[in-house]
Amino acid sequence: MSVARVTEITAASPVSFEDAIKVGIDRANKTLRNVKGAWVQEQTVSVEDGVIKEYRVNMKVTFILED
């Protein structure tokens, strides 16, 4: 039987929401083992002078705990 844990991550990218998700997952994999999925909970943008400067995502990353 497996036990999972969920941690919340916020990531940002100047390129796109998809890139922000990739940045967050890549970073999570550096610290967490057995990452199995993520739920993108919120997407926001930072705007300056009417132009999108940064795409941000808040996501919950699920990983399996080791024995």
Side-chain angles (χ1 to χ4, degrees):
M1 181 172 118
S2 297
V3 176
R5 183 173 175 116
V6 177
T7 189
E8 191 166 343
I9 292 177
T10 300
S13 167
V15 178
S16 67
F17 286 120
E18 184 176 343
D19 191 55
I21 293 167
K22 183 179 181 322
V23 167
I25 294 298
D26 288 348
R27 179 59 184 87
N29 276 316
K30 288 181 181 178
T31 307
L32 305 172
R33 288 181 291 232
N34 301 318
V35 173
K36 298 299 179 188
W39 171 49
V40 178
Q41 185 175 2
E42 182 179 26
Q43 297 179 328
T44 59
V45 293
S46 172
V47 178
E48 289 181 24
D49 299 321
V51 177
I52 295 174
K53 293 295 181 182
E54 189 172 60
Y55 298 85
R56 296 179 186 149
V57 293
N58 291 335
M59 56 186 159
K60 294 191 176 186
V61 177
T62 302
F63 59 100
I64 303 298
L65 297 176
E66 295 178 344
D67 291 332

